[in-house]
Amino acid sequence: MPSPHALALDELHGSLSDPVLDAMNFLNEVVGRFPQAISFAPGRPTEGDFEPEDLARHLHTYTSHLEETLGWSRDQVRTQLFQYGRTNGIIHELIARTVANDEGIEVPPEAVVVTTGCQEAMLLILRALFAAPEDTLLVSSPCYVGITGVARLLGIRVRPVPEGPAGPDPEAVSAAVRAAREAGERVRAFYVVPDFANPSGTSMSLPDRERLLRVAEEEDLLVLEDDPYGFFVRTGSARPTLKALDTGRRVVHLGSFAKTALPGARVGYVIADQEVIGPGGRRSLLADELSKIKSMTTVNTSAVSQAVIGGLLIESDCRLREANAGAIAYYRTNMDTLLDELERHFPAERRAELGISWNRPDGGFFAVVTVPFAADHKALELSARTYGVLWTPMSDFHLDGGGTHQLRLSCSAQSPESITEGMARLAAFITAQSTGTAA
Amino acid sequence: MPSPHALALDELHGSLSDPVLDAMNFLNEVVGRFPQAISFAPGRPTEGDFEPEDLARHLHTYTSHLEETLGWSRDQVRTQLFQYGRTNGIIHELIARTVANDEGIEVPPEAVVVTTGCQEAMLLILRALFAAPEDTLLVSSPCYVGITGVARLLGIRVRPVPEGPAGPDPEAVSAAVRAAREAGERVRAFYVVPDFANPSGTSMSLPDRERLLRVAEEEDLLVLEDDPYGFFVRTGSARPTLKALDTGRRVVHLGSFAKTALPGARVGYVIADQEVIGPGGRRSLLADELSKIKSMTTVNTSAVSQAVIGGLLIESDCRLREANAGAIAYYRTNMDTLLDELERHFPAERRAELGISWNRPDGGFFAVVTVPFAADHKALELSARTYGVLWTPMSDFHLDGGGTHQLRLSCSAQSPESITEGMARLAAFITAQSTGTAA
């Protein structure tokens, strides 16, 4: 009998030894080791008033819609739910109607690819767009690890564009494209979360959105707009998405139902209404090209999951923003509470004295606190063990060595009461670290 | 206002211009254009007695299992279904129990990664194993396009190993490894469907399975065993899977519930119980390494889909083979009918005269007919338009230019009556083409 075969990690793909993955594993492991700690770490949504029985209702709503509204036969409904189906999804029309109602995004349903969460959408679009060794992806930095992770899997070069307090600066994007060109690279796309970014909480102004679209035109690149948090406005009113402003088909819009409906369904989508010109001038939609890749990643998005989300969209009359009124209020209260508590624990004079500051996001799940000490994994472990509070080191989101003295706080997964208690613990931790007081 | 941006196909990733993808698109397009034709093309499973209402029952079975058998609280159940969850899945224990009962595969539940269909399982394992430019994948040829498609997406070199009438020959695998080594390549893995292969219908004998495992040991490679059809035995009894015979942890087993439960759920799995040795001798399971990649492809497999499959497994007491007794009988009858009708239309003397032959698979969905004319896309179109019958050109599954005079017939998606009628049409088509008779 042979001895059991073992593999060497350093002979497996390099992405498996990537420091970002190690960082994410460390975070998960710390969260798991301190279950009693109050956690401002995960960006997971509220469960609201979700009950498991809702799933059966959503399914029934969807099948009734097929039978009663669309006049489908029982056999057709059965095949729709049971079989392999259309690669680009079965609820694309409902999604197209929803983004028209909620965002003013007007695209043909055929431009919508339904994906296994927004993560698969990133995988599809990066694989399609990046072909040659000189192709480069720009990302707003600090950056969501989902996009840099896919780039790592596919061996795609990434250049960070440092963002300012109001999100990415279009002129900096333009400068990065030129710098890449001088280095012999070709920038294919720029990835950005324009509303309440993960991890920084920043948002782009309307003029900056318009300037970014002009830069995309001038420099001949696509903008990959990721928009999971856009509904969750805290102050002011919602700004138009880049896709809603996109008259030149420069924007590929990545969407998710994880925050606005049901993370457990794993349904996201990508809107890719660009034309692709093939041999002999044959034209297709970029969405059609993405379907070729999807047939090699997951074949179909679960029909069961799509039926659940489809039912939920029908129940909300394809107006998901209105259906999220409760969640919007919930996150607003949570972020207000978080910022108020920071203010209460660190009033102006005190924070100036200690060297502490934070941003005040207009919405979303995340805020960033800057501290006078290294907010690293060691500090996180101390915070968890001694103070019973968890957060995420911002340095884990930087590709260029930044964020070493910053914490990301997520307000999405705690009640206001729990936020208040957690912020008291965090204030004790930050104060002790900032003043050199032993815990 | 800028003119709408368009992209050039030849600047997108090469996989989008791959002839295999074009072939698949052509097939789908032909199937769509001739909806009245009897189709022996798709490998889709029977819908059996599936009803949409079953989904709600399976969900309820699963949540009751959590609450009543495992004693979970309502809150825990809610979080399990609603939230982001364990990357490697939530029904891994049920799957481990099922493969132990059905296949005699004994692995810890932690070695099971639940995936978005078997397609994602292929993506994960290829990405993990293939790191260096010299790494090569061997595939049994003709080959399922799902695996070669993933290899294309990831830029992995593939070498075909031509199979014989009894599936791949272990000595040919060994020779291919040596040939690759002489060319400066390193073979990391060999992909094979040992039971009732798609597309050829061949199966490996027990001695060949044991020899293949010895070759894997001698040549230091992994065997990627894909087993979607193993239950569907027509003659003789089921043979042990390679994984059940694997005493040296040389086999990574790819599984699917698409044929044995519900394609629309998109739930598959990979069993990867190999140890991986990292820096400082730190040990992990290959399954744990795959989870790092999964976090960058789909994050989680839909919890809703997993709950549906979980409920179905619980209802069958984790004995899916027994639960498939009806399906097994159905496919047996279908394949028998298909082979009987071929025999009836082309008795020995007639087929010798025309130059026609076919194999007699021991089970599964697929049989191959060899004809004296080119069974290409043009012939398929003629067959569909004039004779009302569809099939798949075997050349689409060959990487090395073979199969030009062969048709793949799938018996899975038609009733016996429909097979009888379809075979009459096919016989007319084949006869006319073989004798040069105008249609």
Side-chain angles (χ1 to χ4, degrees):
Chain A
M1 190 160 121
S3 60
H5 180 53
L7 298 152
L9 182 61
D10 62 8
E11 292 197 280
L12 300 181
H13 190 253
S15 59
L16 296 173
S17 308
D18 196 282
V20 169
L21 278 171
D22 276 346
M24 293 302 118
N25 283 346
F26 174 81
L27 289 179
N28 289 335
E29 186 258 333
V30 171
V31 171
R33 260 196 298 140
F34 298 100
Q36 303 309 318
I38 293 177
S39 181
F40 297 113
R44 70 185 222 176
T46 172
E47 291 172 28
D49 49 5
F50 172 79
E51 291 297 336
E53 288 71 23
D54 297 344
L55 295 176
R57 190 184 74 245
H58 298 321
L59 284 168
H60 183 73
T61 301
Y62 180 71
T63 55
S64 300
H65 166 76
L66 296 180
E67 291 189 298
E68 287 155 30
T69 311
L70 303 184
W72 286 30
S73 72
R74 188 77 184 168
D75 276 354
Q76 287 174 304
V77 174
R78 184 185 290 118
T79 299
Q80 178 91 326
L81 285 181
F82 182 83
Q83 287 287 6
Y84 294 105
R86 183 176 174 273
T87 308
N88 277 357
I90 57 178
I91 59 168
H92 52 302
E93 292 179 1
L94 292 169
I95 293 174
R97 216 180 303 162
T98 303
V99 297
N101 288 337
D102 285 339
E103 313 282 358
I105 295 174
E106 301 283 350
V107 289
E110 293 68 35
V112 177
V113 184
V114 189
T115 55
T116 305
C118 191
Q119 191 64 38
E120 191 192 25
M122 296 183 193
L123 176 63
L124 301 183
I125 190 67
L126 288 197
R127 179 63 305 170
L129 290 179
F130 290 79
E134 65 268 24
D135 290 352
T136 290
L137 172 69
L138 296 186
V139 300
S140 186
S141 176
C143 185
Y144 174 56
V145 295
I147 192 81
T148 48
V150 173
R152 189 75 180 83
L153 281 190
L154 300 177
I156 294 170
R157 187 192 307 107
V158 174
R159 271 185 184 256
V161 183
E163 63 169 43
D169 172 3
E171 301 315 316
V173 174
S174 188
V177 174
R178 288 192 303 271
R181 199 177 294 134
E182 275 159 31
E185 302 166 20
R186 184 176 68 150
V187 174
R188 294 287 277 163
F190 171 61
Y191 170 86
V192 63
V193 183
D195 287 305
F196 324 132
N198 178 7
S200 67
T202 59
S203 298
M204 294 179 75
S205 68
L206 181 56
D208 273 359
R209 289 170 199 237
E210 288 165 343
R211 280 165 63 214
L212 179 62
L213 293 176
R214 281 200 301 275
V215 166
E217 194 68 35
E218 288 158 15
E219 305 291 356
D220 191 21
L221 50 97
L222 287 172
V223 176
L224 309 183
E225 174 183 47
D226 188 6
D227 186 39
Y229 311 107
F231 284 180
F232 306 121
V233 173
R234 186 179 67 90
T235 60
S237 52
R239 296 174 187 135
T241 61
L242 293 164
K243 189 65 193 165
L245 300 168
D246 177 33
T247 54
R249 296 203 196 150
R250 286 284 170 183
V251 178
V252 172
H253 184 86
L254 306 166
S256 168
F257 293 108
K259 310 301 188 293
T260 56
L262 193 75
R266 301 304 301 136
V267 178
Y269 55 93
V270 48
I271 298 175
D273 62 343
Q274 288 75 17
E275 273 196 324
V276 175
I277 302 168
R282 201 181 55 193
R283 280 162 186 267
S284 60
L285 280 177
L286 181 54
D288 298 323
E289 301 300 321
L290 295 181
S291 101
K292 296 182 191 170
I293 297 177
K294 184 167 168 63
S295 71
M296 303 299 167
T297 58
T298 60
V299 183
N300 290 168
T301 299
S302 162
V304 178
S305 285
Q306 290 189 74
V308 166
I309 296 295
L312 196 147
L313 293 179
I314 293 161
E315 286 167 28
S316 68
D317 195 24
C318 294
R319 292 173 193 280
L320 208 47
R321 194 188 292 272
E322 286 171 29
N324 269 270
I328 293 168
Y330 178 85
Y331 296 124
R332 176 182 295 137
T333 301
N334 278 8
M335 183 63 87
D336 280 343
T337 304
L338 188 145
L339 296 172
D340 289 350
E341 291 300 307
L342 276 172
E343 185 69 40
R344 200 164 68 78
H345 289 289
F346 301 106
E349 203 171 316
R350 178 71 174 148
R351 64 183 180 255
E353 179 192 327
L354 292 175
I356 294 167
S357 60
W358 57 87
N359 65 352
R360 300 185 61 83
D362 293 333
F365 291 8
F366 307 107
V368 172
V369 181
T370 303
V371 293
F373 57 90
D376 55 14
H377 286 173
K378 206 173 128 196
L380 172 60
E381 180 134 10
L382 175 70
S383 175
R385 181 183 307 113
T386 308
Y387 296 89
V389 62
L390 289 159
W391 40 270
T392 310
M394 278 295 286
S395 54
D396 288 344
F397 301 106
H398 278 266
L399 297 169
D400 44 7
T404 55
H405 288 58
Q406 292 186 317
L407 296 68
R408 186 192 76 173
L409 301 181
S410 166
C411 71
S412 62
Q414 301 291 339
S415 66
E417 298 68 36
S418 181
I419 289 173
T420 301
E421 168 60 22
M423 290 311 289
R425 298 181 188 185
L426 186 73
F429 164 72
I430 290 177
T431 301
Q433 291 301 105
S434 303
T435 58
T437 315
Chain B
M1 191 159 119
S3 60
H5 180 52
L7 299 151
L9 183 60
D10 62 9
E11 292 198 281
L12 300 182
H13 190 253
S15 60
L16 295 173
S17 308
D18 196 283
V20 171
L21 278 171
D22 275 346
M24 293 302 116
N25 283 345
F26 173 81
L27 289 179
N28 289 334
E29 186 258 333
V30 171
V31 171
R33 258 195 299 140
F34 299 99
Q36 303 309 320
I38 293 177
S39 181
F40 297 112
R44 69 185 223 176
T46 172
E47 292 172 26
D49 49 6
F50 171 78
E51 291 297 336
E53 289 71 24
D54 296 344
L55 295 176
R57 190 184 73 245
H58 298 321
L59 284 169
H60 182 73
T61 301
Y62 180 70
T63 55
S64 300
H65 167 75
L66 296 180
E67 290 188 301
E68 289 155 30
T69 311
L70 303 185
W72 287 28
S73 71
R74 188 75 185 172
D75 275 354
Q76 287 174 305
V77 173
R78 185 186 289 120
T79 299
Q80 178 92 327
L81 286 180
F82 183 82
Q83 286 288 5
Y84 295 105
R86 182 175 175 274
T87 307
N88 276 357
I90 57 178
I91 59 168
H92 51 302
E93 292 179 1
L94 293 169
I95 293 174
R97 216 180 303 162
T98 303
V99 296
N101 288 337
D102 285 339
E103 312 282 359
I105 296 174
E106 301 283 351
V107 288
E110 293 68 34
V112 178
V113 184
V114 189
T115 54
T116 305
C118 191
Q119 191 63 38
E120 191 193 23
M122 295 183 194
L123 177 62
L124 301 183
I125 191 67
L126 288 197
R127 178 64 303 169
L129 290 179
F130 290 79
E134 65 268 24
D135 290 352
T136 289
L137 172 69
L138 296 186
V139 300
S140 186
S141 177
C143 184
Y144 174 55
V145 296
I147 192 80
T148 48
V150 172
R152 189 75 180 84
L153 280 190
L154 300 178
I156 294 170
R157 185 192 307 106
V158 174
R159 271 185 184 255
V161 183
E163 64 169 43
D169 171 6
E171 300 315 317
V173 174
S174 189
V177 174
R178 288 193 303 271
R181 199 177 293 135
E182 276 159 30
E185 301 167 21
R186 184 176 67 150
V187 173
R188 294 287 277 162
F190 171 61
Y191 170 86
V192 63
V193 183
D195 287 305
F196 324 131
N198 179 6
S200 67
T202 59
S203 298
M204 294 179 75
S205 67
L206 181 56
D208 272 0
R209 288 169 201 238
E210 287 165 343
R211 279 165 64 214
L212 179 62
L213 293 176
R214 280 199 302 275
V215 166
E217 193 68 34
E218 286 157 16
E219 304 291 355
D220 190 21
L221 50 97
L222 287 172
V223 176
L224 309 183
E225 174 182 48
D226 188 6
D227 185 40
Y229 312 106
F231 283 0
F232 307 119
V233 173
R234 185 179 69 90
T235 59
S237 52
R239 296 174 187 135
T241 60
L242 292 165
K243 189 65 193 165
L245 299 168
D246 178 32
T247 54
R249 295 203 196 150
R250 286 284 169 183
V251 179
V252 172
H253 184 86
L254 306 166
S256 168
F257 294 108
K259 310 301 188 293
T260 57
L262 194 74
R266 300 305 300 135
V267 178
Y269 55 93
V270 48
I271 298 175
D273 61 343
Q274 287 74 17
E275 273 196 324
V276 175
I277 302 168
R282 202 181 56 193
R283 278 162 187 268
S284 61
L285 280 177
L286 181 54
D288 298 323
E289 300 301 321
L290 296 181
S291 101
K292 296 183 190 170
I293 298 178
K294 183 165 169 65
S295 70
M296 303 298 167
T297 57
T298 61
V299 183
N300 290 166
T301 299
S302 163
V304 178
S305 286
Q306 290 188 74
V308 166
I309 296 295
L312 197 146
L313 293 179
I314 293 161
E315 286 166 28
S316 68
D317 195 25
C318 294
R319 294 174 192 280
L320 207 47
R321 193 188 293 270
E322 286 172 29
N324 269 271
I328 293 168
Y330 179 85
Y331 295 124
R332 176 182 296 137
T333 302
N334 278 8
M335 184 62 88
D336 280 344
T337 305
L338 188 144
L339 296 172
D340 289 350
E341 290 301 307
L342 275 172
E343 185 70 41
R344 199 163 69 79
H345 289 289
F346 301 107
E349 203 171 315
R350 178 71 174 147
R351 63 181 179 258
E353 176 193 327
L354 291 175
I356 294 168
S357 60
W358 56 87
N359 64 352
R360 301 185 60 82
D362 293 333
F365 291 8
F366 307 107
V368 172
V369 181
T370 303
V371 293
F373 56 89
D376 56 14
H377 286 173
K378 208 174 127 193
L380 172 60
E381 181 134 9
L382 175 69
S383 175
R385 181 182 308 111
T386 309
Y387 296 89
V389 62
L390 289 160
W391 39 271
T392 310
M394 278 295 286
S395 54
D396 288 345
F397 301 106
H398 278 265
L399 297 170
D400 44 7
T404 55
H405 288 58
Q406 292 187 316
L407 296 68
R408 186 192 76 172
L409 301 181
S410 166
C411 71
S412 63
Q414 302 291 339
S415 66
E417 298 68 37
S418 182
I419 289 173
T420 301
E421 168 60 23
M423 291 309 291
R425 298 181 188 186
L426 187 73
F429 164 72
I430 289 177
T431 301
Q433 292 301 105
S434 303
T435 57
T437 315

